[in-house]
Amino acid sequence: NNYIYVIGGNSGNYGSQIFHNEILYAKVADDGILSETEKDGKRSTWHYASRSLPLQLIDHASVSIGRYIFVLGGRDGVEGNDDKEEYNKSKDIVYFYIEDTGDLQSLQKDVDLPEPLFHHAAVADINTEANSINIYVTGGAGGNTADPDNRKNTVHHFRATQ
């Protein structure tokens, strides 16, 4: 049951950005092509998940492993004052369980990242011996990326129980 997901993000351009909290998904056939399915009397490749992020989120990291999708950090897309572009940065780690249909169950909260991060990367593997998922978060930024002190060269690790 292979699916691909688009989670939050920005569909606008600089000056007229449109931030999202929706999650879309599509089935991927064995040949790697997205499959059209019929839902609500319409044929479509992409479907809106019945669950969404708790806020509009950009510059986050997402990782999927087994039946889980994790969403880590990011910025909420809410600009601060008019003279300086500022975003609320997140250290949240949330996850969804993937149903057989590709849709998602209710959002769950996990431990927090040790600091708010955006523009970072994440990877995961399964530790079958400990029945857990290892997630590694690398790099990123904690503030204005023009300031080298805000760029991170750290690796964070945490475990999620399956």
Side-chain angles (χ1 to χ4, degrees):
N1 295 337
N2 297 324
Y3 291 90
I4 187 169
Y5 295 84
V6 176
I7 302 170
N10 175 5
S11 65
N13 56 33
Y14 192 76
S16 63
Q17 299 184 69
I18 302 167
F19 301 106
H20 298 275
N21 68 334
E22 301 90 359
I23 300 174
L24 288 92
Y25 66 98
K27 181 141 181 71
V28 180
D30 291 340
D31 62 3
I33 303 298
L34 299 183
S35 305
E36 279 193 5
T37 57
E38 189 162 323
K39 188 172 186 174
D40 301 328
K42 299 178 183 174
R43 294 194 59 73
S44 176
T45 301
W46 291 97
H47 304 285
Y48 283 92
S50 58
R51 309 292 185 216
S52 60
L53 296 171
L55 48 89
Q56 298 170 337
L57 199 59
I58 62 172
D59 300 330
H60 53 285
S62 299
V63 63
S64 174
I65 189 156
R67 300 291 296 259
Y68 296 92
I69 293 176
F70 291 84
V71 181
L72 307 98
R75 301 188 287 180
D76 70 3
V78 176
E79 294 186 40
N81 59 46
D82 292 335
D83 60 342
K84 184 171 116 182
E85 198 173 287
E86 189 65 39
Y87 300 90
N88 295 314
K89 294 164 274 304
S90 174
K91 61 181 182 176
D92 289 347
I93 299 174
V94 298
Y95 65 95
F96 299 91
Y97 181 81
I98 303 169
E99 298 176 351
D100 290 341
T101 62
D103 204 355
L104 304 176
Q105 290 185 358
S106 296
L107 174 135
Q108 302 291 315
K109 177 88 171 79
D110 209 312
V111 299
D112 284 340
L113 292 166
E115 59 188 323
L117 281 177
F118 61 95
H119 290 177
H120 53 290
V123 295
D125 68 7
I126 294 177
N127 181 336
T128 54
E129 211 171 278
N131 194 32
S132 65
I133 297 171
N134 294 312
I135 298 183
Y136 305 89
V137 179
T138 61
N144 183 342
T145 55
D147 180 350
D149 290 337
N150 288 324
R151 298 181 205 149
K152 307 295 180 182
N153 63 356
T154 54
V155 175
H156 301 291
H157 168 258
F158 78 93
R159 272 199 180 108
T161 304
Q162 297 185 66

